[in-house]
Amino acid sequence: MATSKQPQLLTISPIANDVWQGLTASPKYLPAKLFYDEVGSQLFEQITELPEYYLTRTERSILEQYAGEILEAAGASLTLVELGAGTAAKTCVLIEELLQRQPRALFYPIDVSPTALDEAVHQLGRRFPLLRVNPIVADYTAGVPALSRILGRKLVLYIGSSIGNFEPPQAIRLLRRIRQTLRPGDALLLGADFAKSPKILLPAYDDAQGVTAAFNRNILARLNRELEADFVPEAFEHVAVWNRRCSRMEIYLESTTAQTVFLPALDLDVSFQSGERIHTENSYKYTQAMIESILRESGFALEHSWSDRKQWFGVHLARV
Ligand code: AVI
């Protein structure tokens, strides 16, 4: 009996295009979103608890101290939306305060990870029976048109300093897209890291235990896993640089030797000179004037900013 030949399906990895673009560019780069596979997300969780990485705990302390003032300023009868919510662990302090002001509330956490959102629904459901959680699985960077269908006054949370990982024009484009889904009276709560001395910034991005270095090198291990590449991650050094002119931390992987890496899935050889770098991340550090400017350019008016005593981190409320 004749057997029919099955057509061979060629599966192209979803990261292939970005990797090809970045590693054939001059200078070489890899987009920071590639950090966040399962291993990278776990390493990032560890970073947030490092003594040198002040961002997460400083923002949390601001939210804890000022939750009442923030919600008072945002207005009555709020529906919460969170961009890149993950498991929404950092949002609990605001939800708790909100439920002291109104009998029940709606929360729309938005994230690309359905597992993180499942966890959010489970945890929040147990802790806050009067909170209705409607998760949205979406990449918020492309805009979330569904937001415009949510009735009532919205407070959109964009905390965690994620805005800092966008180039300023991209950040403005993203905020504009969000702005287009909101109505007059709605508000945005933006968490952003302030520019400060490199004495504080450099260790925050190059910690003594080497967790940030492992987070950075994991991008190469990921290319080995997903594109069958033969990177030796240890042959690249983690480098963190403060670029004062651009007001950003820059993160690189620097080749410690002359070497060639093969990526079979892309049929690509990539050669490195000794000391050549792959640029993997920018983390912008805002001044108050820069915050005012990106908000204004994206159609928001800054109403109030809260900070910690050392002015290391800012949480900003802006109105449509
Ligand atoms: C996710 N983002 C806000 C972090 C930051 O500080 O820019 C990512 C990170 N990169 C190195 N350490 C932390």
Side-chain angles (χ1 to χ4, degrees), residues 172 175-176 179 288-302 318:
I172 292 168
L175 294 177
R176 269 195 198 142
R179 158 75 186 75
Q288 187 70 17
M290 285 162 74
I291 289 285
E292 271 178 53
S293 151
I294 59 160
L295 286 170
R296 192 178 341 103
E297 288 197 43
S298 34
F300 288 98
L302 177 62

Side-chain angles (χ1 to χ4, degrees), residues 81-97:
V81 175
E82 183 171 2
L83 307 178
T87 59
K90 54 188 184 291
T91 325
C92 288
V93 51
L94 289 172
I95 294 173
E96 193 158 356
E97 183 68 33

Side-chain angles (χ1 to χ4, degrees), residues 272-290:
F272 294 89
Q273 289 168 15
S274 178
E276 187 177 352
R277 291 174 174 179
I278 310 174
H279 190 172
T280 49
E281 188 183 47
N282 286 326
S283 189
Y284 280 84
K285 306 301 167 190
Y286 281 90
T287 60
Q288 187 70 17
M290 285 162 74

Side-chain angles (χ1 to χ4, degrees), residues 198-307:
K199 287 199 188 108
I200 310 294
L201 287 167
L202 289 168
Y205 289 85
D206 192 5
D207 62 280
Q209 292 172 56
V211 183
T212 312
F215 172 71
N216 197 9
R217 286 195 191 99
N218 174 58
I219 215 167
L220 302 181
R222 180 175 182 184
L223 303 197
N224 290 350
R225 287 191 290 271
E226 294 184 29
L227 300 174
E228 301 152 55
D230 58 1
F231 278 101
V232 178
E234 297 69 37
F236 288 82
E237 209 166 287
H238 167 69
V239 177
V241 176
W242 169 239
N243 180 331
R244 181 206 286 269
R245 194 176 54 82
C246 298
S247 199
R248 68 188 191 201
M249 283 300 300
E250 296 172 351
I251 308 298
Y252 299 92
L253 286 162
E254 184 174 300
S255 180
T256 55
T257 173
Q259 53 180 320
T260 298
V261 176
F262 181 48
L263 294 92
L266 305 181
D267 193 17
L268 178 68
D269 271 318
V270 186
S271 295
F272 294 89
Q273 289 168 15
S274 178
E276 187 177 352
R277 291 174 174 179
I278 310 174
H279 190 172
T280 49
E281 188 183 47
N282 286 326
S283 189
Y284 280 84
K285 306 301 167 190
Y286 281 90
T287 60
Q288 187 70 17
M290 285 162 74
I291 289 285
E292 271 178 53
S293 151
I294 59 160
L295 286 170
R296 192 178 341 103
E297 288 197 43
S298 34
F300 288 98
L302 177 62
E303 273 193 8
H304 200 113
S305 298
W306 293 268
S307 185

